[in-house]
Amino acid sequence: MTALALMGLLPENASTTGSVNLDGENLLQKSEAEMCRVRGNKMAMIFQEPMTSLNPVHTVGRQIMEPLRLHKGLSKSSAMQEAIRLLDRVGIPNPAERVSNYPHQLSGGQRQRVMIALALSCSPDVLIADEPTTALDVTIQDQILELIQTLVQEEGMSLVLISHDLGVIAENTDNVIVMYGGTVVESGKTDHIFDQLTHPYTQGLFAAMPKVGMGRGKRLTTIPGTVPDLINLPSGCTFTDRCPLASDICAGNIPPVNQMEGSHLVTCHHLQQAVSARSKGLYE
Amino acid sequence: MSVFLAKRFITLLATLIGASIVIFTVMEILPGDPALVILGVDATESSVAALTKELGLDRPPLERYFDWIGGLLQGELGNSYAYKVPVSELVQGALQITVPLAILSMILSVTIALVIGLYAAANHNKASDVTLMGVSQLGISVPNFWLAVLLILYFAVNLKWFPPGGFPGWDQGFWKCINALILPAVALATVQGAILARITRSSVLEVFREDFVRTARAKGLSQRATLWLHVLRNAMIPVITVMGLQFANLLAGTVVVENVFYLPGLGSTVLKAINNRDTIVVENVVLMLAAMVVITNFVVDILYAVIDPRLKAHDI
Ligand code: SF4
């Protein structure tokens, strides 16, 4: 949802408030026609489902050529050359042959590479990757993340990575925003946050990760309860129903933003308790 | 692709052989003796027997079946029992009306369907969409023979733009014939176009929810460009399926409208032949209709494969 809101691609009945700034311009104030020039050009996106995110009736070459012709005005033949170069860049063997393949002839990992090539085509300033590896095999996941990481560095793009996987976040980002129920609960430098997990939700996410040497037979820790219905969120802290530290004040009052070390921000009523719970763990 | 075609072609042949057996058997079982119908109820027993022998109907069914098929393979359809003219002659006249009428109706129906269906889908849930879908619901509910009568009253009797019925024959000039076919084509196409429009709309809307549409939008394609470049082709599969069925229906199932407009098309010819127990005409025409339906399906199958490369892959 957040990613689609950034791209201005939410369904018609959705409304967006606040601002999305890119190069000093608020994207939310742009007209649809102007946004069409931003999407795929300055800002590109990789989706979660590589199996269904490509059009099954067009060749992958044609799909990569599309933004090139649209934004860069390339001729058919030079767009084709560029598509082959991009496929090669994202590590697809035999790119000159693969351009004329249809998506169903490629594996999931290869399709995600094609999606990356597509997103990369117009050298965007910002690359949004929405759970880019969730639908892939574990062995492929690392390759894809590494590819994204290399490309981001070499092309000088900014990466917005959306993921549930803390390991992925820790390895691939500089700054983290932890979101729960549509609101920011904790944000700051990646290093700070992983050093000092503070917000009860962030601690829960960490506790729920399987750990090396945990041994068989031991159950994974879980956060009790289920993700709230985004339609009827509590009016105060969105995490109230599941938080072990929740008290009466939490449900009805929006929690304050507490500044920690540096730019590290935590949104919680009971900061002290959360901090002291770090060592013994909130969810044992 | 060639494997795909070969498979489809074998299915086509098998279907036709099956159809010929069913048609022949049904005509055998059907009560009513052709000789008796031709000679009338007062005929003497000996004259009926003589005619039966003359028509070759005294021979065993199996022999007659193979005779019929053998004749067909040599392009020989036999002679009508009732009119004593070659079946091919009877059929030819009918085909010259039915086939152009079917094609004309199909063109109209597809045009109506694509224009209305795409426009409604592009304006999903807006007033124009709701209105168009209401109109199409009306189009589906109107019986085509009644619409035919209305069209004749207004456009032929009042405005005198078109003839109220009959067919001049192609030797009287192309436009004159087309003119005679327009009202029946409109009567037939309205219902079919309305159905097809609804299918087009829902199919387009369904494809719009697919992930690759989001990808296309994320590339910077406008809503309209996405519709034309990415949605339309994917949405065509159900539309083409129904188009195939409708075309088959236009070839065989237009008797009522043909009668309203006094068009001696294929439907009317079969009906007359059944009443006369003119078995040989019925058998040939029905088999021909079956062949046209099967060929239409064959073409539809090929179109599927052209539209969606995945289908080809599954078959090979
Ligand atoms: S505000 Fe209350 S409910 Fe929300 S995270 Fe902090 S302690 Fe838990």
Side-chain angles (χ1 to χ4, degrees):
Chain A
M1 272 300 178
T2 313
L4 289 180
L6 291 178
M7 295 288 276
L9 285 179
L10 285 178
E12 272 169 36
N13 51 5
S15 69
T16 325
T17 53
S19 62
V20 178
N21 292 309
L22 180 69
D23 288 340
E25 289 179 292
N26 185 355
L27 298 186
L28 293 188
Q29 279 161 6
K30 284 189 180 282
S31 70
E32 175 58 25
E34 286 171 322
M35 273 313 284
C36 281
R37 285 194 288 278
V38 174
R39 285 184 210 121
N41 192 13
K42 289 179 148 190
M43 196 155 88
M45 190 158 173
I46 306 169
F47 297 96
Q48 186 174 353
E49 309 85 3
M51 307 312 273
T52 51
S53 291
L54 291 167
N55 188 336
V57 306
H58 291 165
T59 60
V60 295
R62 176 166 170 181
Q63 301 188 52
I64 300 175
M65 285 158 65
E66 211 163 13
L68 288 166
R69 305 197 61 189
L70 185 72
H71 298 300
K72 298 273 180 268
L74 293 189
S75 71
K76 209 166 184 169
S77 58
S78 45
M80 181 59 116
Q81 288 306 314
E82 182 63 10
I84 296 175
R85 188 190 70 81
L86 284 162
L87 284 179
D88 187 41
R89 187 109 169 72
V90 295
I92 289 195
N94 287 335
E97 277 171 39
R98 289 288 173 201
V99 272
S100 42
N101 276 170
Y102 289 95
H104 70 264
Q105 294 166 308
L106 304 178
S107 68
Q110 280 179 321
R111 288 190 218 184
Q112 196 60 309
R113 286 175 193 267
V114 170
M115 282 299 294
I116 296 172
L118 216 167
L120 215 64
S121 56
C122 294
S123 327
D125 300 331
V126 181
L127 179 65
I128 303 171
D130 186 357
E131 303 265 10
T133 56
T134 317
L136 298 176
D137 262 20
V138 194
T139 43
I140 313 286
Q141 286 187 359
D142 285 341
Q143 295 175 13
I144 294 289
L145 282 168
E146 223 178 271
L147 174 67
I148 293 179
Q149 204 46 255
T150 321
L151 292 171
V152 163
Q153 264 153 27
E154 288 176 7
E155 305 273 323
M157 295 179 284
S158 309
L159 173 69
V160 178
L161 180 64
I162 299 170
S163 177
H164 281 97
D165 187 332
L166 291 185
V168 168
I169 298 281
E171 279 169 36
N172 294 286
T173 62
D174 301 324
N175 296 289
V176 180
I177 295 176
V178 183
M179 296 189 68
Y180 183 82
T183 51
V184 177
V185 296
E186 186 164 4
S187 65
K189 292 240 169 294
T190 308
D191 296 345
H192 284 165
I193 291 198
F194 280 87
D195 278 350
Q196 310 181 322
L197 300 162
T198 309
H199 193 278
Y201 175 61
T202 320
Q203 291 196 35
L205 277 181
F206 198 78
M209 271 202 331
K211 291 173 193 64
V212 182
M214 197 169 79
R216 286 159 180 263
K218 200 166 172 264
R219 282 182 66 101
L220 281 175
T221 317
T222 52
I223 305 178
T226 51
V227 180
D229 187 354
L230 287 180
I231 310 286
N232 339 295
L233 284 174
S235 57
C237 176
T238 49
F239 195 48
T240 314
D241 296 340
R242 308 174 69 189
C243 180
L245 296 180
S247 65
D248 295 345
I249 184 176
C250 298
N253 301 287
I254 294 177
V257 180
N258 307 285
Q259 172 130 30
M260 311 281 288
E261 190 184 329
S263 57
H264 186 176
L265 302 175
V266 179
T267 314
C268 182
H269 284 296
H270 302 298
L271 183 70
Q272 280 320 314
Q273 276 169 274
V275 170
S276 52
R278 270 182 205 150
S279 50
K280 54 177 178 6
L282 265 174
Y283 295 89
E284 295 310 319
Chain B
M1 192 69 186
S2 51
V3 179
F4 177 83
L5 284 181
K7 268 191 184 175
R8 288 293 183 275
F9 192 69
I10 291 169
T11 320
L12 187 149
L13 282 185
T15 316
L16 282 183
I17 293 170
S20 72
I21 295 172
V22 172
I23 293 166
F24 187 83
T25 316
V26 169
M27 292 315 291
E28 279 302 302
I29 298 169
L30 199 70
D33 180 351
L36 200 61
V37 176
I38 293 167
L39 294 175
V41 273
D42 302 331
T44 59
E45 223 160 280
S46 61
S47 60
V48 170
L51 188 57
T52 308
K53 199 171 166 74
E54 192 195 320
L55 296 175
L57 294 172
D58 54 341
R59 293 176 300 147
L62 212 57
E63 200 183 315
R64 277 182 288 127
Y65 174 76
F66 282 111
D67 248 21
W68 173 43
I69 299 297
L72 272 183
L73 291 178
Q74 293 164 16
E76 187 49 61
L77 302 183
N79 287 330
S80 154
Y81 301 153
Y83 301 109
K84 311 277 189 246
V85 293
V87 175
S88 50
E89 229 167 77
L90 270 183
V91 169
Q92 214 175 18
L95 278 181
Q96 282 177 359
I97 296 173
T98 296
V99 172
L101 178 60
I103 294 176
L104 197 61
S105 314
M106 206 63 221
I107 294 174
L108 275 175
S109 153
V110 170
T111 315
I112 297 174
L114 289 185
V115 170
I116 293 187
L118 291 181
Y119 189 81
N123 295 288
H124 183 40
N125 277 345
K126 295 196 187 125
S128 51
D129 175 25
V130 177
T131 316
L132 282 175
M133 283 306 106
V135 171
S136 77
Q137 187 63 54
L138 200 70
I140 293 174
S141 343
V142 175
N144 56 16
F145 60 87
W146 187 69
L147 183 65
V149 173
L150 284 189
L151 288 172
I152 293 176
L153 269 181
Y154 192 70
F155 291 102
V157 177
N158 278 356
L159 294 175
K160 298 199 174 14
W161 288 356
F162 304 100
F167 189 74
W170 291 100
D171 47 353
Q172 298 295 307
F174 180 74
W175 290 113
K176 225 173 165 178
C177 292
I178 293 291
N179 220 26
L181 291 180
I182 284 190
L183 288 188
V186 171
L188 291 168
T190 304
V191 184
Q192 307 216 326
I195 296 173
L196 207 53
R198 297 189 138 241
I199 290 166
T200 307
R201 171 180 174 274
S202 63
S203 173
V204 165
L205 287 177
E206 198 166 305
V207 176
F208 252 117
R209 284 191 285 272
E210 301 260 1
D211 288 335
F212 63 80
V213 170
R214 196 180 54 186
T215 309
R217 298 280 285 133
K219 281 180 193 174
L221 259 59
S222 67
Q223 184 88 2
R224 184 175 301 184
T226 310
L227 171 64
W228 288 111
L229 296 173
H230 287 270
V231 174
L232 195 55
R233 189 158 155 194
N234 279 286
M236 276 302 113
I237 294 262
V239 177
I240 284 177
T241 309
V242 177
M243 263 169 64
L245 294 173
Q246 293 193 338
F247 191 67
N249 190 33
L250 282 174
L251 289 170
T254 56
V255 189
V256 180
V257 171
E258 276 178 14
N259 276 333
V260 174
F261 286 97
Y262 294 113
L263 295 174
L266 218 46
S268 319
T269 308
V270 186
L271 201 63
K272 237 182 282 165
I274 294 176
N275 286 338
N276 289 337
R277 292 296 179 276
D278 205 344
T279 6
I280 191 154
V281 176
V282 180
E283 282 164 359
N284 280 310
V285 174
V286 174
L287 185 63
M288 193 155 54
L289 287 172
M292 289 197 274
V293 172
V294 176
I295 290 170
T296 308
N297 286 344
F298 181 63
V299 173
V300 166
D301 276 339
I302 293 174
L303 284 179
Y304 283 164
V306 170
I307 291 177
D308 193 335
R310 283 172 301 181
L311 293 174
K312 240 181 295 176
H314 284 309
D315 255 287
I316 293 173

